[in-house]
């Protein structure tokens, strides 16, 4: 088994010096790279040096022991529900990871690997009662292979991705996208096309998506592997259906495939769309900031026409034009509400600010209410707070980048009230008169996480 999984030590990507980096020999002044990072760096450098290069012999990289181990580490970190077989990450770890990965490597090398059907799960959309989002969950083995393929493919396509794209990319985040919106709005682009692609992951045409991948990948085995993931059936209500379009939402590689497909929209804004406004895209959510309404209308036409070639269309209920001037209108993007607010120092001047949207506030309130519900009255108060603190801390870590002080104070008050009422129920104290005994000192004694004081304000001016 060890011989079958023996790791190759050389990388041939068409450039001198790649072998030394594969073996972990770093460039001067830098710490040594592991073999996976060395391979990624080699692929990235080759793609950057020749933007027209199309890569072959990538499939063999996916089956390498180091790649599969790194992919396994990523799958373990994300955990996730089991696939159709019911095998969990913990079950694989208990049975032996080494044998599991060696068997997977042998299947890939022998071209005997076949993806299993996906398990369909409907999860409720946060803040939207009665609405559900379909998730297609692969098996643990499929997740490992998908993650391994992403490790190989991502450096090649990352070179060509444009700065307007922020979603699911290394060293880029939703906060970076919000900052770009703030800067462009404060430069006078007050007309905003707010757009959303309807069922992006479920509607992308397979042939169009594979054609976008083939712009940089000519490895037939790798393309065949991607087609197999796209065409694999979905198990729902005991029957397996074959999807005619879309990429499985919930698989490790779906975000990369979506970015590859929507790269055509980014390219359109580098060309014809450049004169219309500035595009800021986070996967299938995007806005275009324009100086005039006429250009915003033209941007809407272009934004609807370009994705149509991929089988995609804009969501009519979530697409519209907003006028930001003098704080008249605002819009929600990535959990924040964005609106221009008059400067308290210089009256008559407005700057774009952001704070948690009503939907984000509602979702958090629902979680707080569920954690302090009367059905948990038999649990110790400290246990309830221990479960609640990570929720508050995580929410604070994201929304602290903005002008969220007022919303943070509101949430703190709500948490205080819910915990005090919960404590009264445990003590069989009727009514809602909790203010006298449950003061700030009581609140602090139990170590409840405070959101107030954690805001990291951003500059209000465009160039800062």
């Amino acid at each position: 088994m060890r011989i079958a999984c023996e790791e190759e030590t050389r990388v041939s990507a068409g450039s001198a010096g790649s072998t030394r980096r594969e073996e972990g020999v770093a460039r001067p002044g830098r710490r040594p790279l592991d073999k996976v990072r060395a391979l990624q760096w080699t692929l990235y450098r080759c793609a950057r040096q020749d933007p027209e290069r199309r890569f072959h012999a990538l499939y063999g990289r996916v089956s390498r022991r180091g790649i599969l181990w790194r992919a396994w580490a990523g799958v373990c970190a994300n955990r996730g529900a089991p696939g159709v077989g019911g095998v969990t990450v913990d079950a694989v770890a208990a049975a032996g990871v080494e044998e599991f990965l060696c068997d997977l490597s042998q299947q890939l090398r022998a071209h005997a690997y076949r993806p299993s059907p996906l398990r369909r799960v409907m999860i409720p959309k946060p803040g939207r009662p009665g609405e559900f989002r379909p998730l297609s969950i692969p098996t643990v083995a499929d997740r490992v292979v998908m993650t391994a393929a992403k490790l190989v493919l991502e450096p090649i396509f990352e070179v060509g991705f444009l700065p307007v794209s922020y979603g699911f990319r290394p060293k880029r985040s939703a906060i970076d996208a919000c900052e770009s919106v703030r800067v462009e709005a404060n430069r006078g682009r007050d007309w905003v096309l707010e757009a959303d692609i309807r069922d992006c992951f479920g509607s992308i045409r397979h042939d169009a998506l594979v054609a976008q991948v083939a712009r940089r990948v000519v490895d037939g085995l790798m393309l065949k592997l991607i087609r197999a993931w796209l065409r694999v059936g979905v198990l729902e209500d005991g029957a397996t259906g074959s999807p005619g379009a879309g990429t499985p939402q919930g698989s490790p590689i779906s975000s990369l495939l979506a970015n590859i497909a929507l790269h055509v929209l980014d390219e359109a804004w580098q060309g014809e769309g450049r004169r219309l406004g500035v595009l800021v895209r986070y996967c299938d959510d995007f806005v275009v900031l324009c100086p005039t309404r006429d250009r915003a209308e033209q941007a809407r036409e272009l934004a609807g026409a370009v994705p149509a070639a991929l089988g995609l269309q804009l969501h009519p209920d979530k697409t519209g034009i907003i006028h930001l001037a003098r704080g008249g209108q605002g819009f929600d993007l990535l959990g924040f509400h964005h609106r221009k607010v008059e400067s308290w120092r210089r009256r008559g001047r407005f700057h774009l600010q952001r704070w948690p949207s009503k939907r984000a506030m509602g979702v958090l309130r629902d979680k707080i209410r569920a954690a302090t519900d009367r059905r948990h009255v038999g649990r110790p108060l400290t246990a309830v707070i221990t479960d609640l603190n990570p929720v508050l801390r995580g929410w604070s870590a994201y929304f602290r980048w903005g002008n969220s002080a007022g919303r943070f104070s509101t949430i703190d008050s709500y948490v205080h009230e819910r915990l005090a009422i919960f404590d009264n129920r445990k003590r069989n104290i009727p009514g809602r008169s909790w203010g006298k005994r449950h003061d700030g000192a009581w609140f602090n004694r139990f170590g409840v996480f405070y959101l107030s004081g954690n805001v990291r304000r951003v500059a209000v001016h465009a160039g800062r």
Side-chain angles (χ1 to χ4, degrees), residues 250-360:
S251 65
I253 202 171
S254 60
S255 58
L256 175 62
L257 295 178
N259 272 334
I260 292 173
L262 293 176
H263 180 63
V264 297
L265 184 64
D266 305 341
E267 288 181 316
W269 248 265
Q270 290 295 106
E272 182 182 354
R274 183 187 294 271
R275 66 177 183 83
L276 301 179
V278 176
L279 171 69
V280 178
R281 183 177 67 82
Y282 192 93
C283 199
D284 57 336
D285 290 330
F286 64 93
V287 295
V288 183
L289 295 102
C290 308
T292 65
R293 183 180 183 88
D294 182 59
R295 294 190 183 183
E297 294 287 356
Q298 296 179 50
R300 175 156 52 185
E301 295 179 5
L302 181 60
V306 173
L310 302 170
L312 303 175
Q313 59 181 338
L314 299 183
H315 198 299
D317 298 331
K318 300 179 181 179
T319 302
I321 295 176
I322 306 298
H323 192 204
L324 296 176
R326 304 190 68 82
Q329 289 180 294
F331 64 95
D332 292 347
L333 177 68
L334 301 175
F336 285 96
H337 181 73
H338 303 254
R339 184 183 292 268
K340 284 202 168 183
V341 176
E342 186 176 14
S343 172
W344 60 273
R345 288 184 176 179
R346 303 184 64 179
R347 294 299 179 184
R349 297 197 63 174
F350 287 77
H351 303 286
L352 192 73
Q353 295 186 2
R354 64 177 182 267
W355 50 82
S357 66
K358 290 182 179 180
R359 181 183 172 191

Side-chain angles (χ1 to χ4, degrees), residues 44 53 66 89 147 181 205 331 406 409:
Y44 180 87
R53 176 171 180 165
V89 172
T147 305
V181 169
R205 285 173 38 206
F331 64 95
S409 178

Side-chain angles (χ1 to χ4, degrees), residues 45-208:
R45 188 187 62 181
C46 293
R48 184 178 60 185
Q49 289 176 345
D50 185 1
E52 301 299 323
R53 176 171 180 165
R54 302 173 73 191
F55 288 78
H56 62 280
L58 296 176
Y59 180 85
R61 311 282 192 252
V62 176
S63 63
R64 291 190 172 189
R65 182 180 179 183
I67 294 289
L68 290 176
W69 268 105
R70 182 64 57 82
W72 165 256
V75 171
C76 285
N78 292 330
R79 307 302 293 174
V84 292
V87 179
T88 63
V89 172
D90 292 335
V92 173
V97 179
E98 182 73 28
E99 293 184 3
F100 171 75
L101 295 182
C102 286
D103 180 64
L104 207 52
S105 178
Q106 285 182 332
Q107 291 182 41
L108 289 167
R109 291 170 187 263
H111 310 298
Y113 166 78
R114 299 292 184 273
S116 301
L118 304 167
R119 184 169 71 92
R120 175 60 55 85
V121 176
M122 305 298 290
I123 62 172
K125 291 185 177 181
R128 295 181 181 175
E131 295 187 29
F132 294 86
R133 176 184 290 109
L135 285 185
S136 302
I137 303 177
T139 62
V140 175
D142 290 339
R143 294 209 295 269
V144 171
V145 180
M146 289 176 179
T147 305
K150 182 181 178 182
L151 290 172
V152 175
L153 292 173
E154 190 172 54
I156 297 171
F157 288 96
E158 182 63 29
V159 172
F161 288 159
L162 297 173
V164 299
S165 172
Y166 292 88
F168 308 107
R169 293 184 58 190
K171 298 183 179 180
R172 287 181 159 245
S173 68
I175 301 301
D176 296 329
C178 291
E179 276 296 283
S180 180
V181 169
R182 180 190 64 81
V183 169
E184 297 302 331
N186 287 341
R187 287 176 175 169
R189 294 183 172 90
D190 287 336
W191 292 92
V192 179
L193 169 64
E194 180 188 12
D196 177 81
I197 296 177
R198 170 185 280 176
D199 191 22
C200 176
F201 288 91
S203 302
I204 299 177
R205 285 173 38 206
H206 291 168
D207 58 340

Side-chain angles (χ1 to χ4, degrees), residues 175 392-401 408 449 454:
I175 301 301
L392 300 175
R393 190 175 289 110
W395 200 83
S396 169
Y398 180 75
F399 287 105
R400 67 176 182 167
W401 301 100
F408 277 17
F449 181 79
N454 288 306

